[in-house]
Amino acid sequence: MQKPRTPGGRFEASYMHVFNGTPTRFRAPKTFATRMAAEAWLHTERSLIDQGGWTPPKERERKASRSSLTLAEFAEVALAGRSLEPTTRSEYKRLLDSRIIPGLGTHAVAAITADGLDEWWQGLGTTYEASRAAAWNLLKSLLREAVEREIIATSTTAVDRGL
């Protein structure tokens, strides 16, 4: 841990650890108001190392931000990266806006459960079967992409559900 170097007198924390066979310095993702808070962060890092659950702090931070990603946010990013015909993109947007986002858009992708999918599916009603099926296929493709991007684990709950 270093003495305060920031203008506000905050504390920086870092440590050396062997990663991929090379001694590497890892820094806290933020500065701390007190020395005690910086030392607590270092203690937590040491505990993770000792227990075998350690990964680099930046990787853990990236995982945490991915796990809170909502379905609406993920869908926007995922579809922007797909090469789609304009009519297909327009249809996907319509399905998202009318069928998927109202029921599941605010849910974190990682928190979507089989019960949540069942509830959403039942909430769509039985009218407009073709639109309902198209919404399910779009949702399924988004959840499969979430698995590929390691936002969620492979899960029959989220991906292979045969509604």
Side-chain angles (χ1 to χ4, degrees), residues 69-151:
L69 191 65
T70 67
L71 181 61
E73 294 165 336
F74 177 72
E76 183 178 334
V77 170
L79 293 178
R82 292 184 185 180
S83 177
L84 300 170
E85 292 294 325
T87 54
T88 303
R89 188 170 301 282
S90 174
E91 176 64 6
Y92 283 1
K93 180 166 178 24
R94 185 189 69 77
L95 289 169
L96 281 167
D97 292 346
S98 66
R99 297 289 189 146
I100 298 171
I101 300 302
L104 294 171
T106 59
H107 292 71
V109 176
I112 295 174
T113 64
D115 289 341
L117 289 175
D118 286 340
E119 186 177 317
W120 168 76
W121 183 251
Q122 297 306 317
L124 291 180
T126 56
T127 55
Y128 308 109
E129 278 297 320
S131 178
R132 187 177 185 225
W136 169 249
N137 287 329
L138 175 56
L139 177 60
K140 190 164 60 169
S141 77
L142 289 169
L143 293 174
R144 281 196 176 123
E145 187 168 337
V147 169
E148 291 167 8
R149 293 185 182 202
E150 298 180 351
I151 293 170

Side-chain angles (χ1 to χ4, degrees), residues 6 16 24 31 51 59 103 116 119 129 133 150-151 157:
T6 62
M16 294 293 291
T24 306
T31 59
Q51 295 167 6
E59 185 178 315
E119 186 177 317
E129 278 297 320
E150 298 180 351
I151 293 170
T157 298

